[in-house]
Amino acid sequence: MGIPGPAVRLGILVPSSNSNAETLTAAILAGQPDLGVHYSRFRLPPNLDDTVDLSVLGDAPALLNDAELQAIAFHGTSGSWTGITQDRSLCDELKAVCGAPATTASVAVVEALGALSATRIGLVFPGPGSIASQIQREYANYGIDVQVVSVPEAAMSNPEIAQLDTAAIGAMMRPAFAHGLDAVVCVGTNLRSGYLVEGFEQEFAIPVVDSAIATLWHVLRLADSSRSIPGWGALLAVH
């Protein structure tokens, strides 16, 4: 007889102010009993422009390593503006610490856009327009053309972003949908846009890449456990 419980163990490193990671992931994987997800938390640096590296993550990766994982993900998007190359280096460092392939939310979004053959995108970002412009420039390095940007009128803390209701999230997302786009990308793993992906895809007939969903999609691929999970948009239908 096999070992009871999940056969595949995934690890996710979660910013301490994020309240979306565990709940969204649990909702998506509710019908996937072979997958177990294990979490470790760390505190983000105070400045959004600070690079997240192993010194910021502290003991969190090593604590996850004790669970003997098949893949690990850093559930944060700061690399989207501080540099995806640096995030790929972080992936290599996490692999060395945890002995398992690693990704980040920023790397996962770029990989997801590649899987969807999406190069012309609308960007939704729940932070300052100045950082959205940095994301636009960073994406251009990877052949991704951000043609439309939607950001909130007022600055919000990470907990405030998580408390946005469906109407407020939808109002932030809707301006990013324009004619001729291949996809709309929601950058920010504490923005609960993942719950709205399916509805917007049905309305506008283009994929919506939510960074939290993309993180799960990519870590499943790294663990050789990718599968179609209905109800969460086009990306999770991609094997």
Side-chain angles (χ1 to χ4, degrees):
M1 297 179 64
I3 298 171
V8 177
R9 296 177 299 279
L10 309 174
I12 298 184
L13 295 157
V14 184
S16 58
S17 57
N18 186 305
S19 60
N20 183 44
E22 291 98 336
T23 52
L24 177 67
T25 303
I28 296 171
L29 298 182
Q32 312 295 322
D34 62 313
L35 300 175
V37 186
H38 307 277
Y39 300 89
S40 194
R41 286 180 170 261
F42 66 94
R43 196 174 303 280
L44 285 169
N47 192 327
L48 288 174
D49 288 325
D50 288 343
T51 300
V52 175
D53 55 20
L54 286 183
S55 67
V56 172
L57 297 176
D59 291 335
L63 292 172
L64 275 180
N65 183 45
D66 291 346
E68 298 184 344
L69 309 168
Q70 275 72 60
I72 186 171
F74 162 60
H75 209 274
T77 55
S78 58
S80 301
W81 59 91
T82 62
I84 292 171
T85 297
Q86 293 175 335
D87 260 32
R88 291 194 184 277
S89 296
L90 176 60
C91 293
D92 292 339
E93 292 172 338
L94 288 171
K95 183 178 181 180
V97 171
C98 298
T103 188
T104 74
S106 298
V107 169
V109 167
V110 171
E111 293 291 332
L113 291 172
L116 294 168
S117 299
T119 59
R120 298 168 300 171
I121 70 166
L123 172 66
V124 180
F125 180 63
S130 57
I131 290 184
S133 296
Q134 292 179 47
I135 297 172
Q136 186 175 23
R137 289 193 294 271
E138 181 65 17
Y139 278 5
N141 295 327
Y142 295 86
I144 301 166
D145 180 11
V146 178
Q147 298 188 352
V148 185
V149 174
S150 180
V151 297
E153 294 182 1
M156 292 181 288
S157 66
N158 211 23
E160 287 172 334
I161 291 169
Q163 292 166 11
L164 293 172
D165 62 20
T166 299
I169 298 169
M172 192 187 307
M173 293 173 66
R174 190 166 294 278
F177 289 84
H179 179 72
L181 297 180
D182 299 321
V184 164
V185 175
C186 300
V187 172
T189 58
N190 213 24
L191 179 67
R192 298 179 189 271
S193 48
Y195 295 95
L196 281 65
V197 163
E198 185 92 340
F200 272 103
E201 286 190 347
Q202 291 175 1
E203 180 178 351
F204 291 99
I206 60 171
V208 178
V209 177
D210 168 75
S211 57
I213 290 179
T215 304
L216 177 59
W217 167 82
H218 199 213
V219 80
L220 285 171
R221 297 192 97 182
L222 293 177
D224 293 325
S225 295
S226 60
R227 77 279 309 272
S228 180
I229 303 176
W232 297 94
L235 182 60
L236 281 178
V238 176
H239 290 280

